[in-house]
Amino acid sequence: MEDQAQELREMMSNHKTKIIAITSGKGGVGKTNLAVNMAIAYAQQGKKVILIDGDLGMANVNVLLNVVPQYNLMHVINRQKSMQEIITDTEFGIKFIAGANGFSKIANLSVDELEEFAKQFALLANADIILIDTGAGIANNVLQFISAADEVCVVTTPEPTAITDAYGIIKIITTELIDREIRIKLLVNRVHSSDEGKRISEKIINIVAHFLNYKVDYIGFVYDDPVVQASVIRQKPFIVVNPTSKPAQCIKHIVGRIEKNDVGSSEGVNTFLKKFLHKS
């Protein structure tokens, strides 16, 4: 069995899985909803997608997907289950992995335990896209996910507090994770017009460029629309409930823009894991 697993890992070592962290400076900006719908948009392009709930305190991806996962990453860390056994299939063409409140325990694992976890996590390398819905704010586990991902999508809204907190998380990323080359994307949620999205994004991008000397890319906006809240109540993503709605079209545009601008930029699961575990 171990020989088969090793053969699978070697076969997939050249497969460059793209890993994207979706984060925000504060809660309540719609980050998780966007992560779920982006994952489905990628799947609709024919990609193999795994969505990881990295919000270890307020995990709710499963609620939006209307699934009840039996197992989570802690079962892998504790060697109770394999990675394949904790992956949950969904009706939306994506696979889902539940996080766990004790996931920060990974930092205290022994060398042997870390090696075993790394072997298990490496088996996710058959995916084309791994999306990680991080917690909001600057907790250590959030920064771990951010520092290890190929790129980071920071979600904000037009609210002044959300704008301030978006700048705050970008500042933390660019000043405290200086040993990592991190590509930051900005996504403005709940706008009433394209002009509003552009205005908010330019405000944040210009402030970041002036005070932090860092380039942030604007990847788009999502309209404030009743279809979003209605889909949450139904526990079905809006890109599925109403694929022709403005928010759904926005999500498809955002995913298309990421793909267009980042061809060949993925480093893969093994590199992610090394950075996540702070290995050179």
Side-chain angles (χ1 to χ4, degrees):
M1 192 70 171
E2 174 58 29
D3 290 341
Q4 289 180 338
Q6 178 62 29
E7 183 179 345
L8 181 61
R9 284 191 292 272
E10 290 176 358
M11 181 180 69
M12 296 185 301
S13 61
N14 293 323
H15 185 81
K16 295 301 184 183
T17 304
K18 178 179 288 184
I19 301 173
I20 304 172
I22 313 294
T23 195
S24 64
K26 69 185 291 290
V29 297
K31 169 182 59 63
T32 297
N33 207 349
L34 296 185
V36 167
N37 283 275
M38 285 175 65
I40 295 171
Y42 270 113
Q44 291 175 347
Q45 290 186 354
K47 306 283 189 182
K48 295 179 181 179
V49 183
I50 297 175
L51 177 60
I52 298 178
D53 194 339
D55 191 341
L56 309 183
M58 296 289 288
N60 54 15
V61 168
N62 61 296
V63 176
L64 295 179
L65 291 172
N66 195 24
V67 297
V68 182
Q70 287 184 283
Y71 310 111
N72 58 51
L73 282 170
M74 278 304 296
H75 290 95
V76 176
I77 292 173
N78 293 331
R79 302 192 185 192
Q80 296 170 311
K81 295 292 177 181
S82 69
M83 189 64 75
Q84 287 92 339
E85 289 176 308
I86 72 166
I87 295 177
T88 302
D89 288 314
T90 75
E91 63 181 290
F92 308 114
I94 65 173
K95 295 182 182 295
F96 167 61
I97 294 178
N101 288 329
F103 190 53
S104 56
K105 174 187 173 184
I106 193 171
N108 301 317
L109 296 182
S110 68
V111 173
D112 287 343
E113 288 172 329
L114 280 174
E115 180 66 22
E116 178 59 28
F117 178 75
K119 288 178 181 178
Q120 290 291 329
F121 199 90
L123 295 176
L124 299 181
N126 64 332
D128 298 311
I129 303 288
I130 295 177
L131 277 162
I132 304 172
D133 175 38
T134 78
I138 56 173
N140 286 338
N141 55 59
V142 173
L143 295 180
Q144 261 187 296
F145 284 127
I146 288 173
S147 68
D150 290 318
E151 56 193 47
V152 180
C153 289
V154 175
V155 179
T156 187
T157 69
E159 295 178 5
T161 53
I163 295 171
T164 300
D165 288 338
Y167 172 75
I169 188 71
I170 293 171
K171 182 177 180 180
I172 293 293
I173 294 170
T174 58
T175 57
E176 295 195 12
L177 304 178
I178 55 176
D179 60 326
R180 310 292 189 198
E181 185 178 340
I182 300 172
R183 297 187 294 276
I184 302 176
K185 314 290 187 184
L186 183 65
L187 196 166
V188 186
N189 194 25
R190 298 176 185 157
V191 305
H192 295 93
S193 69
S194 59
D195 286 343
E196 183 178 36
K198 184 178 181 181
R199 176 175 55 82
I200 298 299
S201 65
E202 287 180 347
K203 181 177 182 179
I204 295 173
I205 289 171
N206 290 338
I207 292 173
V208 170
H210 180 74
F211 290 103
L212 304 176
N213 193 30
Y214 202 91
K215 185 179 184 297
V216 173
D217 294 322
Y218 175 49
I219 56 167
F221 64 90
V222 178
Y223 282 107
D224 187 15
D225 192 294
V227 71
V228 176
Q229 184 59 31
S231 70
V232 171
I233 294 172
R234 292 181 60 182
Q235 291 182 274
K236 283 186 177 291
F238 59 77
I239 199 169
V240 175
V241 173
N242 195 335
T244 61
S245 65
K246 287 183 176 180
Q249 294 301 314
C250 289
I251 289 292
K252 293 174 185 177
H253 175 77
I254 287 165
V255 165
R257 189 166 182 177
I258 293 174
E259 287 299 285
K260 180 180 179 181
N261 294 342
D262 295 314
V263 175
S265 63
S266 307
E267 296 187 79
V269 168
N270 289 333
T271 299
F272 169 86
L273 200 56
K274 288 178 182 178
K275 291 191 290 186
F276 187 85
L277 299 174
H278 303 295
K279 293 182 179 181
S280 57

